Amino acid sequence: MLHQHTTSTPPRLILGSSSVYRKELLSRLGLPFETMAPDIDETPHSGETPQATALRLAREKAAAIATRAGAALVIGSDQVATLDDLQIGKPGNHANALKQLQMMRGREVIFHTALCLWDGRRADAASTAQLCNVQTLVRFRDLDDAELDAYLRIEQPYDCAGSAKNEGLGIAILESIRSDDPTALTGLPLIALTSMLRQAGVRFFGTTPA
């Protein structure tokens, strides 16, 4: 078990992401935090599994921020969507998004949401960084091209892996979601994160973590 570093003063907490979705999720915990954008290459490595890609990038994001942040808790997260073991990235534009939704309709897609908590207060931060991957199984409705096109023009989810915002209108093109953490699909698994923060000594509700 990692040594808990509990203090009466809340540690500096940094979200290593520029994602508005992750920022909104973290704000639910009521903890003061900052955001910094990690500047890393997110290209998957040759032969790398989707889960390995997500875990590596979550750790690299946290590590990149930690080099600038000093004695702080840094959160890194990354999400990779997969279908038939092929990685599905952010579409970037309407045409690519439509192709993604056409490929995924009527099928189940696995979303790997990896999380890293890097404790910059520790001298051994690199070897004790907490890591996990939360899988979410998402089945897309078998909708025709006209509906998929209409959805994309309304919500324009071009910055989302899988081309659908489940926290918005995108929920209407999904048939089912199965996961141990309902927040994982949006990009930051809060159940896993609160466990990591407790392990790092962060207090919730004004009490000392058990």
Side-chain angles (χ1 to χ4, degrees):
M1 177 179 291
L2 296 177
H3 174 68
Q4 289 189 342
H5 189 144
T6 305
T7 64
S8 57
T9 303
R12 185 184 179 199
L13 183 63
I14 300 172
L15 175 62
S17 174
S18 56
S19 165
V20 295
Y21 312 114
R22 292 191 177 107
K23 183 177 180 180
E24 187 279 327
L25 284 169
L26 185 54
S27 68
R28 296 184 192 180
L29 301 184
L31 301 170
F33 69 93
E34 308 164 40
T35 60
M36 291 186 184
D39 183 18
I40 67 167
D41 180 0
E42 299 188 30
T43 305
H45 290 173
S46 177
E48 192 172 45
T49 66
Q51 178 173 328
T53 297
L55 286 167
R56 175 179 59 81
L57 292 178
R59 180 183 173 86
E60 287 183 2
K61 288 177 181 180
I65 297 298
T67 60
R68 295 145 46 191
L73 290 174
V74 181
I75 301 165
S77 187
D78 190 77
Q79 186 177 80
V80 177
T82 65
L83 179 65
D84 296 333
D85 293 325
L86 297 176
Q87 297 194 23
I88 302 169
K90 299 175 183 178
N93 59 50
H94 184 90
N96 289 339
L98 183 58
K99 288 178 182 178
Q100 284 190 357
L101 293 183
Q102 289 170 332
M103 178 177 61
M104 297 185 297
R105 61 185 165 196
R107 305 190 65 190
E108 189 171 75
V109 177
I110 302 175
F111 286 78
H112 297 274
T113 307
L115 181 68
C116 176
L117 184 66
W118 186 289
D119 192 344
R121 302 167 300 174
R122 300 174 59 109
D124 58 351
S127 61
T128 58
Q130 299 182 63
L131 272 172
C132 77
N133 175 55
V134 180
Q135 290 190 21
T136 304
L137 306 181
V138 179
R139 181 166 293 278
F140 284 73
R141 294 185 185 276
D142 191 3
L143 303 179
D144 60 31
D145 290 353
E147 280 200 84
L148 297 178
D149 182 78
Y151 161 68
L152 291 173
R153 293 189 184 282
I154 292 170
E155 195 151 62
Q156 301 182 13
Y158 308 138
D159 62 343
C160 299
S163 302
K165 293 182 181 180
N166 73 288
E167 69 277 15
L169 184 57
I171 200 72
I173 67 172
L174 306 183
E175 189 172 291
S176 66
I177 299 173
R178 290 185 290 146
S179 178
D180 291 334
D181 192 330
T183 56
L185 185 57
T186 308
L188 190 67
L190 293 183
I191 292 176
L193 178 59
T194 53
S195 295
M196 289 182 175
L197 289 171
R198 285 178 180 275
Q199 189 64 53
V202 173
R203 298 183 178 190
F204 293 91
F205 326 120
T207 63
T208 301

